[in-house]
Amino acid sequence: MSIDSTTKLSNQDIPLSLPLSAATLDVSVVIPCLNEANSLAFCVKKAVVACLKSGLQGEVIVADNGSTDGSVAIAEANGARVVKVSQRGYGAALKAGIATACGAYIIMGDADDSYDFSEVPNFVEKLRQGYDLVMGNRFRGGIKPGAMPALHKYFGNPGLSWLLNFLFGAGVGDSYCGMRGFRRELYHKLDLRSTGMEFALEFVIKSSQIGARIGEIPIILWPDKRGRPPHLRSFRDGWRSLRFMLMYAPNWLYLVPGGLLLVSGLFLVIWLLPGPRQISSHVTLDLHTMVFGVMFTLLGTQVLSIGAFAKVFSYAARFDRGTISLKRFLKHITLETGLLAGGLIFLAGFVGCVSIIWKWASSDFGHLYEIRQVLFWSLWLFVGVQIIFSSFFLSMLGISRETYIGDYELK
């Protein structure tokens, strides 16, 4: 029997359950559900039929997030095992369902019948080829008319996928596809934290960080059968996704802009220290520009400090899994190293400022002409103070119950 998204199935078409043996399960199909009575039966039946026809030993798990429309009874009547999840959220439902899964491979997909669960054997076959995570790609498989809003199709999904690949090197074409398969052991390595829609992004980000082998297969996206508005809100959820990716990429969020501010600020300060610079017949850069250079340098130092805090926190909290360079850096850069560097920079600035004050006092506190030197040496004094206090806070962040960074053991 051929099954597509428009096929109507009755209980006479298929057995109501799969022949399960927990010791030999090949695949677990996990479906998150919240009031999906109009479409859930199609999803469960297609998954059951796909496993039976392909000879896979499997199970279908419906992770119910508090449905009140009879979805639970529908799932059980069509051969699924229901896991009731009290904590609301897409990610919370999936994590609860996956936690009870017995299959070596796990396939997840939405309960709105927009994904064809007849594709389950194709995901399993790809996983058996050695891939750790197999993503569905709706753009390669086809998007049926009315299945995806134009804003998502042409801007939202392609834009988020591009950013995900740029920041993390994931190499996926459809980062938010709700149908994907993965090995059980991969899931346990990832330590996923998200309980909302960010679960889908966190999965790909952390898989990329640990070097998991990621593949794709083309799938078709069909118009959903929910008969109600989707839970997704385009701009709110788009911002949540962007925010989430940036928080997982402290190098790009903090270190790159901070470094650019620091370098450009130092360039302006040192370049203008000897005197004004003539850019053209009408443009001269002088003290005002040098003041901005000092501000850029201090701001860049501050942003870099916050970036260092974020990197250490993400490691200690196990958000960032690709931390080999961070470990090497923190093994050599200890609290004492930071205090020494900050102290020397502060001392240089302090001596420079005292020298200027001494000259000023020698002139009976007349006109102060060495404004450039005041800006220059004050800058180093402030930067030194900032490095000293940042070093203390960085060392504090490195101490956790399970992981020790810097002066402590790295596990």
Side-chain angles (χ1 to χ4, degrees):
M1 177 175 58
S2 176
I3 302 175
D4 60 28
S5 190
T6 61
T7 302
K8 293 184 178 180
L9 298 173
S10 66
N11 288 340
Q12 286 72 37
D13 293 320
I14 61 171
L16 292 184
S17 63
L18 289 165
L20 302 181
S21 172
T24 59
L25 284 186
D26 299 310
V27 62
S28 295
V29 179
V30 180
I31 305 173
C33 176
L34 176 58
N35 294 326
E36 312 282 2
N38 291 340
S39 55
L40 183 58
F42 293 96
C43 301
V44 175
K45 290 176 179 179
K46 289 176 187 177
V48 172
V49 168
C51 289
L52 291 171
K53 291 181 64 176
S54 60
L56 291 171
Q57 291 289 322
E59 63 179 345
V60 179
I61 300 170
V62 172
D64 186 71
N65 220 184
S67 297
T68 57
D69 63 349
S71 293
V72 171
I74 292 172
E76 292 175 338
N78 286 279
R81 175 162 59 90
V82 176
V83 175
K84 294 187 178 181
V85 188
S86 58
Q87 183 180 7
R88 287 297 182 96
Y90 174 77
L94 280 169
K95 288 198 288 185
I98 294 169
T100 69
C102 299
Y105 306 120
I106 298 170
I107 313 298
M108 54 178 264
D110 298 343
D112 58 8
D113 200 34
S114 58
Y115 299 112
D116 187 357
F117 283 89
S118 300
E119 297 280 357
V120 166
N122 295 332
F123 280 89
V124 172
E125 177 61 29
K126 191 79 171 178
L127 289 166
R128 284 175 170 170
Q129 293 175 12
Y131 290 94
D132 301 299
L133 170 63
V134 177
M135 302 285 297
N137 190 319
R138 298 166 292 183
F139 297 97
R140 287 172 52 193
I143 300 173
K144 296 297 182 181
M148 182 184 292
L151 181 65
H152 298 182
K153 182 177 181 179
Y154 297 107
F155 298 99
N157 279 305
L160 290 174
S161 296
W162 177 87
L163 185 61
L164 181 73
N165 293 329
F166 177 77
L167 295 178
F168 305 101
V172 299
D174 189 2
S175 60
Y176 249 125
C177 182
M179 191 172 191
R180 60 187 68 178
F182 49 91
R183 296 173 179 271
R184 175 201 295 278
E185 55 265 31
L186 171 65
Y187 175 79
H188 291 304
K189 289 179 182 177
L190 298 183
D191 187 27
L192 302 178
R193 307 291 183 86
S194 303
T195 59
M197 55 167 288
E198 295 88 352
F199 178 89
L201 287 177
E202 185 183 8
F203 205 120
V204 181
I205 290 171
K206 287 190 171 179
S207 296
S208 301
Q209 288 178 335
I210 67 172
R213 190 180 179 194
I214 303 175
E216 287 187 321
I217 62 173
I219 63 170
I220 297 174
L221 182 69
W222 301 83
D224 67 69
K225 294 184 175 65
R226 286 173 295 198
R228 59 165 175 78
H231 299 300
L232 184 68
R233 297 292 181 269
S234 299
F235 292 101
R236 180 201 66 183
D237 293 331
W239 163 243
R240 285 174 59 185
S241 300
L242 177 60
R243 178 185 67 183
F244 184 83
M245 283 191 281
L246 289 175
M247 288 192 296
Y248 264 83
N251 287 354
W252 291 101
L253 182 60
Y254 298 108
L255 303 186
V256 170
L260 290 175
L261 282 169
L262 178 64
V263 170
S264 59
L266 282 175
F267 170 77
L268 288 174
V269 170
I270 295 172
W271 187 50
L272 292 170
L273 181 61
R277 296 286 184 172
Q278 190 84 22
I279 302 301
S280 67
S281 58
H282 302 290
V283 179
T284 300
L285 301 183
D286 204 347
L287 281 174
H288 298 87
T289 306
M290 190 174 180
V291 170
F292 273 101
V294 171
M295 295 170 63
F296 289 165
T297 303
L298 293 175
L299 183 59
T301 305
Q302 180 65 40
V303 174
L304 286 173
S305 298
I306 297 173
F309 304 155
K311 288 288 287 184
V312 173
F313 174 79
S314 65
Y315 176 73
R318 301 184 185 276
F319 291 161
D320 186 358
R321 311 304 295 270
T323 52
I324 295 177
S325 59
L326 178 65
K327 291 179 184 179
R328 291 174 179 169
F329 175 77
L330 291 173
K331 278 185 176 181
H332 296 91
I333 305 300
T334 63
L335 171 61
E336 288 74 20
T337 306
L339 294 179
L340 179 61
L344 290 174
I345 293 173
F346 171 81
L347 183 61
F350 180 78
V351 170
C353 289
V354 169
S355 174
I356 293 170
I357 294 173
W358 182 264
K359 292 179 182 178
W360 187 33
S362 299
S363 65
D364 199 22
F365 296 103
H367 290 291
L368 183 61
Y369 295 104
E370 299 186 26
I371 303 298
R372 297 179 193 279
Q373 285 73 22
V374 170
L375 290 173
F376 180 78
W377 293 113
S378 296
L379 169 65
W380 296 113
L381 186 147
F382 297 147
V383 168
V385 171
Q386 198 162 24
I387 291 175
I388 290 172
F389 285 100
S390 295
S391 298
F392 274 111
F393 189 55
L394 196 63
S395 183
M396 291 170 60
L397 281 177
I399 303 174
S400 71
R401 286 175 296 181
E402 299 181 6
T403 306
Y404 299 90
I405 298 179
D407 305 305
Y408 303 91
E409 181 183 359
L410 282 162
K411 295 182 179 180

